Amino acid sequence: MTAAATLTIPAEPYDYVAARAGLALIIIDMQRDFLEPGGFGAALGNDVSLLRASIAPTARLLAGFRAAGLPVIHTRECHLPDLSDCPPTKHGRGPGPLRIGDAGPMGRILIQGEPGAAIIPELAPVDGEVVIDKPGKGAFHATPLMAELQARRVTHLVFAGVTTEVCVQTTMREANDRGFDCLLAIDATDSYFPAFKAATIAMVTAQAGIVGWAAPVDAILTALEASRP
């Protein structure tokens, strides 16, 4: 492997080294239902403004991957209109006032095709980028994600998105179990509970990176630029 084909990112717990040709970005659930008032996140009683800080870093990371010509995958947590892919335990959990499928300010909450399920405009997919609709927290469950990654010969994954401790961490753990080397972009992810984000980073990087690595967006972009052929 030539130096131009490899990138090295200063990270925790140690440098993350990847074959450039095998690298892809996964942006998890940066949807209006989670980041804007009136969506599912707010219906659960969360302060959705706490997720806004991750938007600009994620946009920079997205722009860097696009400029590098590397694969970008977006996910959306959402369900079929008849809720046939939503387990009753998921649908019924929580005190309300709104549940999955109920009508809210941005249409039916977490339903495919509704305005609230859309990715926020700042991070909207472009032609050629994969969009995965997922009924669960992890992006591999009941989706074609594995096939999409295999088709692109992806071996290394950079993760961004929300929330850090739920859908991002779940997908990162699933990817780790499937043999991918995973890197979490620290400032391109957020939680309604800042302590949960910090705990997730500590968990995934513990024990010599038992789940993966973590690094800031600037370090990732610098390494991408340095690895240009």
Side-chain angles (χ1 to χ4, degrees):
M1 186 179 296
T2 65
T6 308
L7 57 91
T8 300
I9 300 170
E12 292 294 335
Y14 54 88
D15 286 354
Y16 179 82
V17 180
R20 182 186 173 95
L23 190 66
L25 172 65
I26 296 188
I27 303 177
I28 303 290
D29 299 357
M30 294 293 274
Q31 299 163 243
R32 297 183 66 201
D33 262 326
F34 295 124
L35 283 95
E36 295 182 9
F40 190 55
L44 293 175
N46 297 304
D47 178 0
V48 297
S49 69
L50 293 173
L51 303 186
R52 305 294 297 181
S54 63
I55 295 175
T58 303
R60 292 195 298 113
L61 187 61
L62 175 59
F65 269 77
R66 286 172 174 169
L70 295 174
V72 174
I73 297 161
H74 305 260
T75 74
R76 301 181 293 210
E77 183 179 350
C78 53
H79 296 277
L80 298 171
D82 65 1
L83 297 179
S84 59
D85 61 348
C86 183
T89 51
K90 181 179 181 181
H91 181 261
R93 193 167 302 160
L98 296 176
R99 300 185 186 279
I100 296 170
D102 289 349
M106 294 183 288
R108 295 181 66 202
I109 288 177
L110 285 190
I111 296 298
Q112 289 181 14
E114 295 287 338
I119 294 167
I120 59 173
E122 298 96 320
L123 303 172
V126 299
D127 289 345
E129 294 177 352
V130 176
V131 180
I132 299 286
D133 286 335
K134 61 184 185 67
K137 304 305 181 189
F140 287 88
H141 169 64
T143 76
L145 177 57
M146 187 66 181
E148 295 285 359
L149 296 174
Q150 289 175 330
R152 290 161 178 77
R153 298 183 179 180
V154 172
T155 56
H156 291 69
L157 294 169
V158 174
F159 282 87
V162 299
T163 61
T164 315
E165 76 280 6
V166 184
C167 294
V168 176
Q169 180 178 200
T170 301
T171 305
M172 193 171 179
R173 288 179 179 273
E174 290 179 331
N176 179 66
D177 283 347
R178 286 163 172 79
F180 296 95
D181 278 336
C182 303
L183 174 68
L184 180 59
I186 294 170
D187 42 339
T189 183
D190 258 318
S191 170
Y192 302 120
F193 308 95
F196 290 2
K197 172 181 173 176
T200 299
I201 294 169
M203 283 189 288
V204 301
T205 60
Q207 302 180 73
I210 194 167
V211 175
W213 291 256
V217 167
D218 282 347
I220 299 168
L221 295 177
T222 297
L224 271 179
E225 182 63 30
S227 70
R228 285 186 180 274

